[in-house]
Amino acid sequence: IAGPCLAESQALCEEVAGSLQVLCRGYGFGYVFKASFDKANRTSVSTTRGAGIEAGLEVLQGVKDKFGLPVTTDIHLPEQAAQAAHVVDLMQIPAFLCRQTDLLEAAAQTGRPVNVKKGQFLAPNDTKNIVDKLRSFGTNGIMLTERGTTFGYGDLVVDMRGLVTMRETGWPVLYDATHSLQRPGGAETRGDRRF
């Protein structure tokens, strides 16, 4: 799962999708294109959030049509789930919203599998509660993404044992290397490339 953080333009998304598709084929990896239509949790109010759901879904549909790739995006509100499900193959729940029952229920009810990014405030074993919620709503599949745990102020760390703990839920676990290197609310919100 990879792509630009934000679906800034059709051209950018197609450039990234095309390049990553070639790389993934070369390495024998499956590939899901990801870009968000709205980054509702930006640190600064002046940072670009995106063009909105209609324009963002049009960009994702264009990538899907041109490259034959499955696509995913974040949803932030329950009412976005059904609309996004017309385009996306995998619903993604942002880390800060990973426990929001109404959002999880709306995502599960679309019939699409749901990828939940573990909140920085949760221990890996707490993802069991997220899985239980999604299963109770009849989800069509679950993935959990580790993206770090808050360590002090403004830093994230990944306890690799947590990947095993999360996998014990019986569902696939992804590791988000870029977001695991963020310093939330600070100067390195896009990840520290040295690591």
Side-chain angles (χ1 to χ4, degrees), residues 6-8 35-40 48-60 73-74 76 80 83-84:
L6 187 63
E8 295 176 33
S36 296
F37 59 82
D38 181 17
K39 297 306 290 183
T48 301
R49 285 183 52 174
I53 192 166
E54 288 86 11
L57 291 176
E58 283 180 27
V59 169
L60 290 171
T73 194
D74 298 309
H76 299 90
Q80 294 174 336
Q83 188 174 359

PDB file of all heavy atoms in Angstrom, residues 6-8 35-40 48-60 73-74 76 80 83-84:
ATOM      1  N   LEU A   6      -1.554  12.759  -0.093  1.00  0.00           N
ATOM      2  CA  LEU A   6      -2.748  13.477  -0.517  1.00  0.00           C
ATOM      3  C   LEU A   6      -2.913  13.360  -2.027  1.00  0.00           C
ATOM      4  O   LEU A   6      -1.933  13.455  -2.761  1.00  0.00           O
ATOM      5  CB  LEU A   6      -2.605  14.953  -0.120  1.00  0.00           C
ATOM      6  CG  LEU A   6      -3.786  15.872  -0.314  1.00  0.00           C
ATOM      7  CD1 LEU A   6      -4.963  15.441   0.551  1.00  0.00           C
ATOM      8  CD2 LEU A   6      -3.386  17.301   0.044  1.00  0.00           C
ATOM      9  N   ALA A   7      -4.131  13.168  -2.478  1.00  0.00           N
ATOM     10  CA  ALA A   7      -4.421  13.131  -3.916  1.00  0.00           C
ATOM     11  C   ALA A   7      -4.403  14.567  -4.441  1.00  0.00           C
ATOM     12  O   ALA A   7      -5.437  15.161  -4.737  1.00  0.00           O
ATOM     13  CB  ALA A   7      -5.777  12.466  -4.177  1.00  0.00           C
ATOM     14  N   GLU A   8      -3.198  15.113  -4.580  1.00  0.00           N
ATOM     15  CA  GLU A   8      -3.041  16.521  -4.944  1.00  0.00           C
ATOM     16  C   GLU A   8      -3.462  16.795  -6.379  1.00  0.00           C
ATOM     17  O   GLU A   8      -3.988  17.848  -6.688  1.00  0.00           O
ATOM     18  CB  GLU A   8      -1.590  16.952  -4.747  1.00  0.00           C
ATOM     19  CG  GLU A   8      -1.150  16.918  -3.307  1.00  0.00           C
ATOM     20  CD  GLU A   8       0.324  17.247  -3.140  1.00  0.00           C
ATOM     21  OE1 GLU A   8       0.856  18.059  -3.918  1.00  0.00           O
ATOM     22  OE2 GLU A   8       0.934  16.684  -2.214  1.00  0.00           O
ATOM     23  N   ALA A  35      -4.082   7.169  -1.688  1.00  0.00           N
ATOM     24  CA  ALA A  35      -3.983   8.624  -1.562  1.00  0.00           C
ATOM     25  C   ALA A  35      -5.250   9.092  -0.858  1.00  0.00           C
ATOM     26  O   ALA A  35      -6.319   8.529  -1.056  1.00  0.00           O
ATOM     27  CB  ALA A  35      -3.851   9.299  -2.926  1.00  0.00           C
ATOM     28  N   SER A  36      -5.127  10.110  -0.051  1.00  0.00           N
ATOM     29  CA  SER A  36      -6.269  10.628   0.702  1.00  0.00           C
ATOM     30  C   SER A  36      -6.920  11.787  -0.036  1.00  0.00           C
ATOM     31  O   SER A  36      -6.241  12.628  -0.602  1.00  0.00           O
ATOM     32  CB  SER A  36      -5.822  11.099   2.087  1.00  0.00           C
ATOM     33  OG  SER A  36      -5.346  10.024   2.846  1.00  0.00           O
ATOM     34  N   PHE A  37      -8.246  11.830   0.005  1.00  0.00           N
ATOM     35  CA  PHE A  37      -8.979  12.952  -0.582  1.00  0.00           C
ATOM     36  C   PHE A  37      -9.057  14.112   0.401  1.00  0.00           C
ATOM     37  O   PHE A  37      -9.315  15.246   0.024  1.00  0.00           O
ATOM     38  CB  PHE A  37     -10.382  12.540  -1.041  1.00  0.00           C
ATOM     39  CG  PHE A  37     -11.264  11.987   0.045  1.00  0.00           C
ATOM     40  CD1 PHE A  37     -11.958  12.817   0.903  1.00  0.00           C
ATOM     41  CD2 PHE A  37     -11.411  10.613   0.197  1.00  0.00           C
ATOM     42  CE1 PHE A  37     -12.776  12.304   1.891  1.00  0.00           C
ATOM     43  CE2 PHE A  37     -12.227  10.089   1.167  1.00  0.00           C
ATOM     44  CZ  PHE A  37     -12.911  10.935   2.027  1.00  0.00           C
ATOM     45  N   ASP A  38      -8.815  13.830   1.682  1.00  0.00           N
ATOM     46  CA  ASP A  38      -8.859  14.863   2.712  1.00  0.00           C
ATOM     47  C   ASP A  38      -7.929  14.441   3.846  1.00  0.00           C
ATOM     48  O   ASP A  38      -8.024  13.319   4.342  1.00  0.00           O
ATOM     49  CB  ASP A  38     -10.287  15.012   3.246  1.00  0.00           C
ATOM     50  CG  ASP A  38     -10.429  16.090   4.322  1.00  0.00           C
ATOM     51  OD1 ASP A  38      -9.526  16.952   4.451  1.00  0.00           O
ATOM     52  OD2 ASP A  38     -11.453  16.072   5.029  1.00  0.00           O
ATOM     53  N   LYS A  39      -7.051  15.327   4.224  1.00  0.00           N
ATOM     54  CA  LYS A  39      -6.202  15.090   5.392  1.00  0.00           C
ATOM     55  C   LYS A  39      -6.762  15.951   6.523  1.00  0.00           C
ATOM     56  O   LYS A  39      -6.333  17.075   6.750  1.00  0.00           O
ATOM     57  CB  LYS A  39      -4.735  15.433   5.100  1.00  0.00           C
ATOM     58  CG  LYS A  39      -4.100  14.588   4.019  1.00  0.00           C
ATOM     59  CD  LYS A  39      -4.208  13.101   4.262  1.00  0.00           C
ATOM     60  CE  LYS A  39      -3.351  12.646   5.402  1.00  0.00           C
ATOM     61  NZ  LYS A  39      -3.400  11.189   5.613  1.00  0.00           N
ATOM     62  N   ALA A  40      -7.745  15.400   7.203  1.00  0.00           N
ATOM     63  CA  ALA A  40      -8.501  16.145   8.205  1.00  0.00           C
ATOM     64  C   ALA A  40      -7.756  16.319   9.522  1.00  0.00           C
ATOM     65  O   ALA A  40      -8.239  17.015  10.402  1.00  0.00           O
ATOM     66  CB  ALA A  40      -9.844  15.455   8.453  1.00  0.00           C
ATOM     67  N   THR A  48      -2.680  22.400   3.317  1.00  0.00           N
ATOM     68  CA  THR A  48      -3.681  21.910   2.373  1.00  0.00           C
ATOM     69  C   THR A  48      -4.266  20.599   2.847  1.00  0.00           C
ATOM     70  O   THR A  48      -3.543  19.675   3.202  1.00  0.00           O
ATOM     71  CB  THR A  48      -3.039  21.704   0.983  1.00  0.00           C
ATOM     72  OG1 THR A  48      -2.518  22.950   0.552  1.00  0.00           O
ATOM     73  CG2 THR A  48      -4.047  21.196  -0.014  1.00  0.00           C
ATOM     74  N   ARG A  49      -5.590  20.517   2.836  1.00  0.00           N
ATOM     75  CA  ARG A  49      -6.280  19.298   3.251  1.00  0.00           C
ATOM     76  C   ARG A  49      -6.643  18.419   2.069  1.00  0.00           C
ATOM     77  O   ARG A  49      -6.780  17.213   2.214  1.00  0.00           O
ATOM     78  CB  ARG A  49      -7.549  19.649   4.016  1.00  0.00           C
ATOM     79  CG  ARG A  49      -7.282  20.133   5.408  1.00  0.00           C
ATOM     80  CD  ARG A  49      -8.536  20.411   6.174  1.00  0.00           C
ATOM     81  NE  ARG A  49      -9.460  19.280   6.155  1.00  0.00           N
ATOM     82  CZ  ARG A  49     -10.585  19.244   6.846  1.00  0.00           C
ATOM     83  NH1 ARG A  49     -10.921  20.249   7.613  1.00  0.00           N
ATOM     84  NH2 ARG A  49     -11.381  18.203   6.777  1.00  0.00           N
ATOM     85  N   GLY A  50      -6.874  18.997   0.924  1.00  0.00           N
ATOM     86  CA  GLY A  50      -7.270  18.227  -0.249  1.00  0.00           C
ATOM     87  C   GLY A  50      -8.456  18.849  -0.939  1.00  0.00           C
ATOM     88  O   GLY A  50      -9.057  19.802  -0.454  1.00  0.00           O
ATOM     89  N   ALA A  51      -8.812  18.272  -2.077  1.00  0.00           N
ATOM     90  CA  ALA A  51      -9.873  18.835  -2.916  1.00  0.00           C
ATOM     91  C   ALA A  51     -11.261  18.363  -2.508  1.00  0.00           C
ATOM     92  O   ALA A  51     -12.248  18.787  -3.088  1.00  0.00           O
ATOM     93  CB  ALA A  51      -9.615  18.470  -4.373  1.00  0.00           C
ATOM     94  N   GLY A  52     -11.360  17.468  -1.544  1.00  0.00           N
ATOM     95  CA  GLY A  52     -12.655  16.972  -1.106  1.00  0.00           C
ATOM     96  C   GLY A  52     -12.961  15.596  -1.665  1.00  0.00           C
ATOM     97  O   GLY A  52     -12.245  15.079  -2.530  1.00  0.00           O
ATOM     98  N   ILE A  53     -14.046  15.022  -1.194  1.00  0.00           N
ATOM     99  CA  ILE A  53     -14.340  13.633  -1.504  1.00  0.00           C
ATOM    100  C   ILE A  53     -14.650  13.401  -2.989  1.00  0.00           C
ATOM    101  O   ILE A  53     -14.159  12.442  -3.577  1.00  0.00           O
ATOM    102  CB  ILE A  53     -15.448  13.062  -0.586  1.00  0.00           C
ATOM    103  CG1 ILE A  53     -15.531  11.533  -0.735  1.00  0.00           C
ATOM    104  CG2 ILE A  53     -16.770  13.760  -0.802  1.00  0.00           C
ATOM    105  CD1 ILE A  53     -16.334  10.845   0.348  1.00  0.00           C
ATOM    106  N   GLU A  54     -15.451  14.256  -3.609  1.00  0.00           N
ATOM    107  CA  GLU A  54     -15.802  14.026  -5.015  1.00  0.00           C
ATOM    108  C   GLU A  54     -14.571  14.087  -5.911  1.00  0.00           C
ATOM    109  O   GLU A  54     -14.320  13.167  -6.700  1.00  0.00           O
ATOM    110  CB  GLU A  54     -16.862  15.041  -5.501  1.00  0.00           C
ATOM    111  CG  GLU A  54     -18.240  14.796  -4.944  1.00  0.00           C
ATOM    112  CD  GLU A  54     -18.459  15.447  -3.576  1.00  0.00           C
ATOM    113  OE1 GLU A  54     -17.605  16.266  -3.144  1.00  0.00           O
ATOM    114  OE2 GLU A  54     -19.466  15.116  -2.930  1.00  0.00           O
ATOM    115  N   ALA A  55     -13.800  15.153  -5.790  1.00  0.00           N
ATOM    116  CA  ALA A  55     -12.599  15.306  -6.626  1.00  0.00           C
ATOM    117  C   ALA A  55     -11.572  14.228  -6.306  1.00  0.00           C
ATOM    118  O   ALA A  55     -10.937  13.667  -7.206  1.00  0.00           O
ATOM    119  CB  ALA A  55     -11.999  16.697  -6.441  1.00  0.00           C
ATOM    120  N   GLY A  56     -11.399  13.915  -5.036  1.00  0.00           N
ATOM    121  CA  GLY A  56     -10.437  12.894  -4.645  1.00  0.00           C
ATOM    122  C   GLY A  56     -10.807  11.522  -5.156  1.00  0.00           C
ATOM    123  O   GLY A  56      -9.948  10.761  -5.631  1.00  0.00           O
ATOM    124  N   LEU A  57     -12.087  11.175  -5.087  1.00  0.00           N
ATOM    125  CA  LEU A  57     -12.520   9.877  -5.599  1.00  0.00           C
ATOM    126  C   LEU A  57     -12.393   9.806  -7.122  1.00  0.00           C
ATOM    127  O   LEU A  57     -12.110   8.740  -7.674  1.00  0.00           O
ATOM    128  CB  LEU A  57     -13.948   9.567  -5.152  1.00  0.00           C
ATOM    129  CG  LEU A  57     -14.114   9.285  -3.655  1.00  0.00           C
ATOM    130  CD1 LEU A  57     -15.584   9.091  -3.305  1.00  0.00           C
ATOM    131  CD2 LEU A  57     -13.284   8.088  -3.213  1.00  0.00           C
ATOM    132  N   GLU A  58     -12.573  10.932  -7.804  1.00  0.00           N
ATOM    133  CA  GLU A  58     -12.358  10.957  -9.256  1.00  0.00           C
ATOM    134  C   GLU A  58     -10.902  10.642  -9.584  1.00  0.00           C
ATOM    135  O   GLU A  58     -10.615   9.904 -10.533  1.00  0.00           O
ATOM    136  CB  GLU A  58     -12.732  12.330  -9.835  1.00  0.00           C
ATOM    137  CG  GLU A  58     -14.216  12.552  -9.976  1.00  0.00           C
ATOM    138  CD  GLU A  58     -14.535  13.921 -10.562  1.00  0.00           C
ATOM    139  OE1 GLU A  58     -13.701  14.482 -11.311  1.00  0.00           O
ATOM    140  OE2 GLU A  58     -15.630  14.437 -10.259  1.00  0.00           O
ATOM    141  N   VAL A  59      -9.976  11.197  -8.819  1.00  0.00           N
ATOM    142  CA  VAL A  59      -8.552  10.917  -9.023  1.00  0.00           C
ATOM    143  C   VAL A  59      -8.278   9.431  -8.798  1.00  0.00           C
ATOM    144  O   VAL A  59      -7.611   8.772  -9.607  1.00  0.00           O
ATOM    145  CB  VAL A  59      -7.669  11.793  -8.101  1.00  0.00           C
ATOM    146  CG1 VAL A  59      -6.227  11.322  -8.113  1.00  0.00           C
ATOM    147  CG2 VAL A  59      -7.757  13.266  -8.512  1.00  0.00           C
ATOM    148  N   LEU A  60      -8.800   8.874  -7.717  1.00  0.00           N
ATOM    149  CA  LEU A  60      -8.597   7.453  -7.422  1.00  0.00           C
ATOM    150  C   LEU A  60      -9.201   6.567  -8.508  1.00  0.00           C
ATOM    151  O   LEU A  60      -8.603   5.575  -8.910  1.00  0.00           O
ATOM    152  CB  LEU A  60      -9.172   7.102  -6.052  1.00  0.00           C
ATOM    153  CG  LEU A  60      -8.417   7.684  -4.860  1.00  0.00           C
ATOM    154  CD1 LEU A  60      -9.198   7.459  -3.575  1.00  0.00           C
ATOM    155  CD2 LEU A  60      -7.035   7.084  -4.748  1.00  0.00           C
ATOM    156  N   THR A  73      -8.286   4.678   0.433  1.00  0.00           N
ATOM    157  CA  THR A  73      -8.223   6.040   0.955  1.00  0.00           C
ATOM    158  C   THR A  73      -8.759   6.040   2.368  1.00  0.00           C
ATOM    159  O   THR A  73      -9.465   5.113   2.775  1.00  0.00           O
ATOM    160  CB  THR A  73      -9.009   7.029   0.074  1.00  0.00           C
ATOM    161  OG1 THR A  73      -8.657   8.371   0.429  1.00  0.00           O
ATOM    162  CG2 THR A  73     -10.506   6.848   0.196  1.00  0.00           C
ATOM    163  N   ASP A  74      -8.431   7.087   3.116  1.00  0.00           N
ATOM    164  CA  ASP A  74      -8.964   7.261   4.462  1.00  0.00           C
ATOM    165  C   ASP A  74     -10.386   7.794   4.393  1.00  0.00           C
ATOM    166  O   ASP A  74     -10.699   8.604   3.518  1.00  0.00           O
ATOM    167  CB  ASP A  74      -8.158   8.329   5.232  1.00  0.00           C
ATOM    168  CG  ASP A  74      -6.705   7.969   5.429  1.00  0.00           C
ATOM    169  OD1 ASP A  74      -6.440   6.863   5.908  1.00  0.00           O
ATOM    170  OD2 ASP A  74      -5.845   8.806   5.102  1.00  0.00           O
ATOM    171  N   HIS A  76     -13.090   9.708   7.188  1.00  0.00           N
ATOM    172  CA  HIS A  76     -13.052  10.367   8.480  1.00  0.00           C
ATOM    173  C   HIS A  76     -14.419  10.465   9.146  1.00  0.00           C
ATOM    174  O   HIS A  76     -14.503  10.709  10.349  1.00  0.00           O
ATOM    175  CB  HIS A  76     -12.466  11.778   8.347  1.00  0.00           C
ATOM    176  CG  HIS A  76     -11.071  11.782   7.833  1.00  0.00           C
ATOM    177  ND1 HIS A  76     -10.779  11.846   6.488  1.00  0.00           N
ATOM    178  CD2 HIS A  76      -9.883  11.693   8.473  1.00  0.00           C
ATOM    179  CE1 HIS A  76      -9.475  11.807   6.334  1.00  0.00           C
ATOM    180  NE2 HIS A  76      -8.905  11.709   7.513  1.00  0.00           N
ATOM    181  N   GLN A  80     -19.073   9.223   4.836  1.00  0.00           N
ATOM    182  CA  GLN A  80     -18.155   9.103   3.698  1.00  0.00           C
ATOM    183  C   GLN A  80     -17.976   7.659   3.237  1.00  0.00           C
ATOM    184  O   GLN A  80     -17.555   7.418   2.110  1.00  0.00           O
ATOM    185  CB  GLN A  80     -16.785   9.679   4.065  1.00  0.00           C
ATOM    186  CG  GLN A  80     -16.798  11.165   4.309  1.00  0.00           C
ATOM    187  CD  GLN A  80     -15.460  11.679   4.818  1.00  0.00           C
ATOM    188  OE1 GLN A  80     -14.662  10.944   5.405  1.00  0.00           O
ATOM    189  NE2 GLN A  80     -15.219  12.974   4.610  1.00  0.00           N
ATOM    190  N   GLN A  83     -20.064   6.414   0.039  1.00  0.00           N
ATOM    191  CA  GLN A  83     -19.618   7.117  -1.163  1.00  0.00           C
ATOM    192  C   GLN A  83     -18.246   6.618  -1.610  1.00  0.00           C
ATOM    193  O   GLN A  83     -18.019   6.340  -2.780  1.00  0.00           O
ATOM    194  CB  GLN A  83     -19.590   8.621  -0.918  1.00  0.00           C
ATOM    195  CG  GLN A  83     -19.327   9.436  -2.163  1.00  0.00           C
ATOM    196  CD  GLN A  83     -19.442  10.930  -1.925  1.00  0.00           C
ATOM    197  OE1 GLN A  83     -19.741  11.383  -0.823  1.00  0.00           O
ATOM    198  NE2 GLN A  83     -19.199  11.708  -2.959  1.00  0.00           N
ATOM    199  N   ALA A  84     -17.330   6.471  -0.667  1.00  0.00           N
ATOM    200  CA  ALA A  84     -15.988   5.992  -1.002  1.00  0.00           C
ATOM    201  C   ALA A  84     -16.016   4.561  -1.518  1.00  0.00           C
ATOM    202  O   ALA A  84     -15.233   4.186  -2.397  1.00  0.00           O
ATOM    203  CB  ALA A  84     -15.074   6.100   0.212  1.00  0.00           C
TER     204      ALA A  84
END
